[in-house]
Amino acid sequence: MVSNPGTIIEVCLALHLRRATRRLTRLYDKALAPYGLDTSQFNLLSVIAALEAAPLTTVAEILDVDPSTLSRTLKPLKAQNLLQIKGGRGRGGLTIKLTLQGNDTYNAASTAWKSAQGQTTAIIGETQVGRLLDLLDNLAFSGRQPVE
């Protein structure tokens, strides 16, 4: 026997992070649902909005997802007329930007995101949010350079 299962359950970082992530995702998804978005879609729109016109490969790198996975995630947003995808052959040549409707939806949904963020901050504690973000970034970027 490698380890006591009870001990693993108590100290497993992956278990605790995944459980917390599921709960947070439900909170944010509920807030964003009236805008036809879930947390992943809102985060994707946030990255695209921040970059204005973003190469698909850059967005995939920032979100740490495979470009083919990102392409599948983009389809429903494009079908809702929230995104415009232009460019040449292959994923490397594609550029993504928000449409006017996408920008309006993103701005409206940002209010709901702020509410969910406020609820989360209240649970964690204002002084701990920055610390948690630092810890999560350290974990996410260990072994690779963060995207600027």
Side-chain angles (χ1 to χ4, degrees), residues 44 47-48 50-63 67 70-71 74 84-87 90-97 147:
L44 175 57
V47 170
I48 295 166
L51 298 174
E52 294 183 17
L56 184 137
T57 52
T58 300
V59 174
E61 188 176 338
I62 290 169
L63 295 172
L70 179 59
S71 292
L74 293 171
Q84 181 180 54
I85 303 172
K86 290 185 175 182
R91 290 184 220 115
L94 296 178
T95 302
I96 312 160
K97 65 186 273 185
V147 177

Side-chain angles (χ1 to χ4, degrees), residues 38-108:
D38 63 27
T39 304
S40 296
Q41 293 170 326
F42 181 80
N43 289 330
L44 175 57
L45 293 179
S46 295
V47 170
I48 295 166
L51 298 174
E52 294 183 17
L56 184 137
T57 52
T58 300
V59 174
E61 188 176 338
I62 290 169
L63 295 172
D64 198 18
V65 297
D66 183 80
S68 62
T69 301
L70 179 59
S71 292
R72 287 189 298 275
T73 306
L74 293 171
K75 286 181 183 177
L77 297 173
K78 185 176 183 205
Q80 294 173 47
N81 194 34
L82 302 180
L83 299 176
Q84 181 180 54
I85 303 172
K86 290 185 175 182
R89 298 174 190 232
R91 290 184 220 115
L94 296 178
T95 302
I96 312 160
K97 65 186 273 185
L98 297 182
T99 62
L100 290 175
Q101 182 178 336
N103 194 53
D104 290 346
T105 299
Y106 173 74
N107 288 330

Side-chain angles (χ1 to χ4, degrees), residues 128-142:
Q128 296 298 320
V129 171
R131 186 169 178 217
L132 179 59
L133 288 171
D134 287 343
L135 291 169
L136 292 172
D137 281 347
N138 286 341
L139 185 59
F141 296 123
S142 65

